Amino acid sequence: MTFSIVARSADGVALGVAVASKFLAVGAAVPAAEAAVGALATQSYANLAYRPQGLALLRTGTAAADVVAGLTAADPARDSRQLGVVGRTGDGATYTGAGCHGWAGGRTGDGYAIQGNILAGPEVVAAMESAWLSSDPAADLAVRLLAALRAGDGAGGDKRGRQSASLYVVAPGQGYGGTSDIVADLRVDDHPDPCAELARLLDIHTLLFGRPDPATLLPLRDALADEVRTLLTARGHTASDLDTALSDWAGIENLEERLVPGHMDPLVLTHLRTP
């Protein structure tokens, strides 16, 4: 009923899951991940108990293949299950029960597991694997996961149609304000084109919550400081300290994660210049 990719970033820091399905709110059932531990997807008559149980096993350092073996061996309904697991290191692992609706299957490699059921055909997981392997290893994990998911969607995806999609990524201390490990938790619960909508949400998420690239920061002085002061004043932010005025405005616009004292993120500047 679903196709998903569970993967680890090239540097091993981030872990995540991207999934789509002709199923209401698939993100509420399939994905699970814990920073510095691992990630998994449970689907095809999903056994939601796999999520806490799988993470508990991964927390002990159990290899992905052994996590899959342990979870499915203890499940009397395993023939109807599908599961993908990735740990902190090593290859991902996938399982497709003999009773899953066709087409069903998966592919794995170093740091990833791709799986799906009720698919248009094996070309769906093949396209996902190709997109994953050809993506830039240095790119954000969320971007790479979404590219793989959209490749599967473009190859036919769930043969029943489209309804929902989800993207979940974790990394130690990289969530909002540095107080969470959840980098992205985006869900499209009911939409005619959920993967495209998920891409739109990720673009907004990146703008609002992405960290600025230090190489692109502009010194907030001279003519730029004068322009920013004028724009902020026009919006009613008149604190004498420019960084304070900018922070007041950015907090209202939900751009506070992109602020660096004494500097300007070009994306924030573009937003400020927009009438």
Side-chain angles (χ1 to χ4, degrees):
M1 295 180 281
T2 304
F3 54 103
S4 67
I5 175 169
V6 183
R8 182 178 65 240
S9 62
D11 62 7
V13 173
L15 297 150
V17 183
V19 57
S21 182
K22 181 66 172 68
F23 185 88
L24 180 67
V26 70
V30 168
E34 184 176 329
V37 171
L40 64 88
T42 172
Q43 55 199 52
S44 180
Y45 303 100
N47 183 342
L48 272 62
Y50 280 2
R51 300 189 302 182
Q53 292 169 359
L55 291 176
L57 288 169
L58 288 166
R59 216 173 283 127
T60 68
T62 303
D66 293 332
V67 171
V68 167
L71 291 176
T72 56
D75 184 355
R78 57 186 170 273
D79 279 355
S80 66
R81 313 293 193 200
Q82 196 168 50
L83 174 65
V85 178
V86 164
R88 289 171 288 190
T89 60
D91 286 353
T94 191
Y95 169 84
T96 298
C100 290
H101 299 295
W103 188 88
R107 294 189 176 203
T108 63
D110 183 21
Y112 71 90
I114 297 167
Q115 46 281 315
N117 60 92
I118 318 186
L119 301 184
E123 63 271 18
V124 176
V125 294
M128 294 175 72
E129 183 178 49
S130 178
W132 170 258
L133 293 175
S134 63
S135 62
D136 180 2
D140 287 344
L141 180 60
V143 172
R144 299 184 69 197
L145 290 172
L146 181 58
L149 192 71
R150 298 197 74 177
D153 185 55
D158 188 325
K159 67 182 180 183
R160 301 169 304 161
R162 300 178 172 108
Q163 187 168 10
S164 66
S166 172
L167 178 65
Y168 189 70
V169 177
V170 298
Q174 292 189 24
Y176 180 79
T179 59
S180 165
D181 295 335
I182 301 173
V183 179
D185 183 3
L186 302 176
R187 300 181 183 184
V188 179
D189 288 345
D190 187 21
H191 194 280
D193 194 355
C195 290
E197 177 65 5
L198 190 61
R200 186 185 72 85
L201 294 179
L202 181 58
D203 285 345
I204 297 171
H205 183 276
T206 300
L207 169 65
L208 296 179
F209 307 120
R211 303 299 200 278
D213 179 353
T216 67
L217 291 174
L218 305 170
L220 191 53
R221 58 174 183 258
D222 304 327
L224 179 58
D226 292 340
E227 179 191 4
V228 169
R229 169 70 72 188
T230 298
L231 291 170
L232 290 172
T233 298
R235 288 163 173 74
H237 300 278
T238 58
S240 58
D241 179 72
L242 185 54
D243 279 326
T244 299
L246 182 58
S247 179
D248 289 343
W249 168 81
I252 292 172
E253 297 295 318
N254 298 318
L255 289 164
E256 62 273 11
E257 290 288 276
R258 288 194 166 273
L259 295 185
V260 177
H263 294 79
M264 194 73 179
D265 182 339
L267 291 177
V268 175
L269 181 60
T270 297
H271 192 74
L272 180 60
R273 284 170 171 168
T274 303

